[in-house]
Amino acid sequence: MDRNATTVRRNAVASQKALQHYLASPTRSLPALAYEICIYLADCYACGDIKRLGFRLATIGRWHQTNEFPDPTASPAVVALVRQIRGKPRIRRKEKLQRPPSITEIKYIAEAMQHRSNTSSDTRIKKTACRNSAIFLISFWFGLRIAQICRLRAKDINITETTLTITTDYLSGKGGQPRLSFQLGRLPALCPSSALENWLRYSSKLDGYLFPRTTRKSLPGPVGSRAVQADLKRLMGSSPFAGVSTRSMRYSLYFFLTEIGWTRQKILETLPFYGRVPSKTRIGNTRNLRSMPSGHSGISAAELLSIESVLSNSCSRQSALD
């Protein structure tokens, strides 16, 4: 299927969902009058959340035009109401805070993906598990967002016998996006270098993105971060842990280091991805969450000492232009 046909199919699906959103209430029907569209807007967009508002109205208007009915979305009353909704400040709903995974949960997820890679007879599942394992461990140790890692290119990494260096655009505390290089040595446990090497053995020759799509290969580009997040969410859902989010991985590393005796100052001086001071409010709220597991189950004392040594001696950050 070529790219144009795929785009047409996606637009058709999105248009159908927009019509279903309008018809979700039993009091609404098509064709509609202008006052019915105004009631729909008041019901669904009174809080100021205008996400997909324009597309849904355009879809409703297109349906009327296609079926030779007058377009109610073009009436002055609807246009004026839409203008008022767009100018209204959005009321943001406060999202429930989810704690980051502990080192025990990090190890569980990494071992689950490794087990799936070793035992599955499906080559595609093997490659997906290897890819997501590498993305997951890089996100944990380097403090990068999964979306950032998915967009890495093969030229952005450098693996040696002792270190892994990643170069990427990094969102700084001042709002800029400097291009920085992060370096980390090899670790005795949960090693991102080993996971990345395992992925490179499974993947074909890479001349573009480091993590290309494993499905719909006709579409160029990297794997979507949502696909990786969905896979991690399924793993966490089948685990004995609950209420965990993989979107704050840098705080997972922060709490792991505080548990083994690191001070806040040492963490800020050592870990290269803290371009600014981590949120004290976020850290405090995370500590106050109930049933937050602690400890470092499954990691031996010798491995902990080795991890501390590697983090202290090999972590670095520098400008990519240096």
Side-chain angles (χ1 to χ4, degrees):
M1 182 181 294
D2 60 11
R3 193 167 187 175
N4 291 335
T6 302
T7 302
V8 171
R9 181 175 59 83
R10 287 180 177 176
N11 290 340
V13 172
S15 298
Q16 187 63 31
K17 288 183 178 180
L19 293 177
Q20 291 174 357
H21 183 268
Y22 174 78
L23 297 172
S25 172
T27 60
R28 304 189 197 117
S29 61
L30 292 175
L33 299 176
Y35 83 91
E36 294 175 316
I37 300 298
C38 290
I39 295 174
Y40 163 68
L41 294 175
D43 289 342
C44 299
Y45 299 99
C47 65
D49 184 0
I50 59 175
K51 186 178 181 181
R52 292 187 288 273
L53 169 61
F55 177 77
R56 285 169 177 164
L57 283 181
T59 302
I60 294 172
R62 195 180 308 113
W63 183 93
H64 284 80
Q65 294 171 5
T66 303
N67 293 276
E68 299 181 353
F69 290 105
D71 183 3
T73 63
S75 69
V78 173
V79 173
L81 182 56
V82 169
R83 189 178 296 116
Q84 291 179 8
I85 291 175
R86 291 186 184 278
K88 185 176 181 180
R90 180 177 176 181
I91 302 174
R92 295 184 177 271
R93 299 182 179 91
K94 187 176 181 180
E95 296 183 358
K96 183 179 179 181
L97 181 66
Q98 291 182 308
R99 64 173 178 83
S102 67
I103 190 65
T104 303
E105 293 157 343
I106 294 287
K107 193 170 188 296
Y108 175 89
I109 296 174
E111 290 178 347
M113 287 188 286
Q114 184 65 35
H115 176 74
R116 186 168 60 178
S117 173
N118 293 338
T119 59
S120 176
S121 59
D122 190 329
T123 304
R124 187 177 64 85
I125 294 178
K126 283 179 175 288
K127 292 183 65 174
T128 300
C130 288
R131 181 200 66 200
N132 292 351
S133 177
I135 293 174
F136 179 69
L137 292 178
I138 290 173
S139 176
F140 173 63
W141 290 111
F142 283 83
L144 299 174
R145 295 179 178 87
I146 288 180
Q148 283 180 288
I149 301 171
C150 290
R151 292 194 297 267
L152 289 174
R153 294 182 178 270
K155 63 181 180 181
D156 294 332
I157 66 163
N158 181 32
I159 304 180
T160 67
E161 293 183 359
T162 56
T163 61
L164 169 62
T165 304
I166 295 178
T167 303
T168 182
D169 295 329
Y170 187 75
L171 182 62
S172 69
K174 297 181 179 179
Q177 284 190 322
R179 192 158 182 80
L180 302 176
S181 292
F182 300 88
Q183 179 177 288
L184 179 67
R186 287 187 179 268
L187 298 166
L190 304 175
C191 181
S193 300
S194 300
L196 186 56
E197 287 175 339
N198 195 24
W199 158 247
L200 293 176
R201 283 193 294 269
Y202 270 106
S203 60
S204 57
K205 183 179 179 181
L206 299 174
D207 54 359
Y209 288 100
L210 179 62
F211 300 106
R213 300 174 187 268
T214 55
T215 59
R216 294 187 296 177
K217 296 181 180 180
S218 59
L219 297 179
V223 62
S225 59
R226 290 185 179 181
V228 180
Q229 291 279 11
D231 187 41
L232 295 176
K233 188 175 181 179
R234 282 193 295 270
L235 281 175
M236 294 305 298
S238 61
S239 74
F241 314 109
V244 176
S245 172
T246 56
R247 295 186 178 183
S248 301
M249 300 289 286
R250 66 178 60 189
Y251 289 103
S252 294
L253 183 54
Y254 182 94
F255 285 110
F256 167 62
L257 294 178
T258 57
E259 287 170 6
I260 63 177
W262 283 39
T263 64
R264 177 185 177 86
Q265 181 179 359
K266 183 178 180 180
I267 292 174
L268 298 182
E269 292 175 350
T270 305
L271 299 184
F273 54 74
Y274 278 126
R276 56 179 176 175
V277 177
S279 169
K280 291 184 178 180
T281 302
R282 177 69 169 88
I283 291 172
N285 290 341
T286 302
R287 280 202 180 103
N288 293 333
L289 290 176
R290 295 182 178 180
S291 67
M292 180 179 173
S294 60
H296 31 78
S297 175
I299 299 180
S300 65
E303 289 176 334
L304 285 175
L305 290 176
S306 179
I307 288 174
E308 284 193 78
S309 176
V310 171
L311 292 178
S312 300
N313 300 322
S314 70
C315 279
S316 68
R317 179 183 69 183
Q318 63 180 359
S319 172
L321 301 177
D322 293 346

